[in-house]
Amino acid sequence: MDKRSEAVLTNVDSALADKVRAAANQLATLGTYLLVVSGLRTAAEQNALYAQGRNGASGHIVTNAEAGYSMHNYGLAVDVVPYLSGKSGQLNWDSNTPQFKAMVAALKAQGLIWGGDWKTFPDSDHFQMPGIPDNPSAAMLADYGDGGQASLSSIWNKAATGTYAV
């Protein structure tokens, strides 16, 4: 993994980071390299993304989740894309390419849930931990608190032990 991806992975649940690294290592042996574009988001970052393309804000709509309603806010999701060629440069955002499909297969083989499988508002670069709801539950929202490291660590432990199981 490159430095940018590693920087993103240091702020998410370690089990999620391990799964992404394992898939990336597997793909690297085949000449496909990944960039982890996004991981943990603060409430302010999530709300800024939600505002894009709405109420006159510039950009296009990229999320239907306000703060607290994205697994990114809990460090349980990442956005990942492959590079078009090599270990840097232009990114491949086309989910219909063999490269992107190989990435999806490798991450799903690690047990991650792919947002591209969602029926409403598919999210092709989104991957999140299994065994949790697609969207944060009321219990997760309650546990989120201030979104600080103590809250996140508690949420990660509860997610790992099946407390939020779907």
Side-chain angles (χ1 to χ4, degrees):
M1 302 285 322
D2 64 5
K3 289 181 182 180
R4 179 176 168 192
S5 296
E6 282 297 339
V8 172
L9 292 177
T10 62
N11 294 314
V12 300
D13 176 32
S14 62
L16 172 60
D18 289 346
K19 290 175 182 296
V20 173
R21 286 185 190 106
N25 289 338
Q26 174 198 357
L27 289 166
T29 66
L30 304 173
T32 296
Y33 300 91
L34 306 180
L35 177 68
V36 182
V37 178
S38 179
L40 179 65
R41 292 185 195 139
T42 65
E45 290 167 334
Q46 188 66 38
N47 280 334
L49 281 176
Y50 181 78
Q52 272 185 216
R54 291 183 171 89
N55 301 321
S58 64
H60 62 281
I61 293 175
V62 295
T63 183
N64 277 340
E66 294 181 84
Y69 294 90
S70 168
M71 288 302 177
H72 285 281
N73 297 133
Y74 298 84
L76 294 169
V78 291
D79 292 340
V80 185
V81 292
Y83 287 103
L84 278 172
S85 177
K87 298 179 182 180
S88 64
Q90 195 170 0
L91 297 171
N92 178 357
W93 295 92
D94 184 351
S95 61
N96 292 314
T97 62
Q99 198 177 36
F100 204 104
K101 289 178 181 181
M103 177 193 71
V104 170
L107 289 162
K108 286 175 85 170
Q110 290 296 317
L112 296 177
I113 304 302
W114 181 42
D117 286 332
W118 295 339
K119 302 298 180 217
T120 57
F121 205 81
D123 192 352
S124 63
D125 63 333
H126 180 95
F127 298 87
Q128 67 184 45
M129 289 296 286
I132 57 174
D134 288 345
N135 300 299
S137 65
M140 293 178 84
L141 284 164
D143 291 341
Y144 185 67
D146 64 358
Q149 192 57 53
S151 296
L152 293 175
S153 293
S154 174
I155 288 167
W156 297 343
N157 288 334
K158 288 181 178 184
T161 58
T163 301
Y164 305 124
V166 288

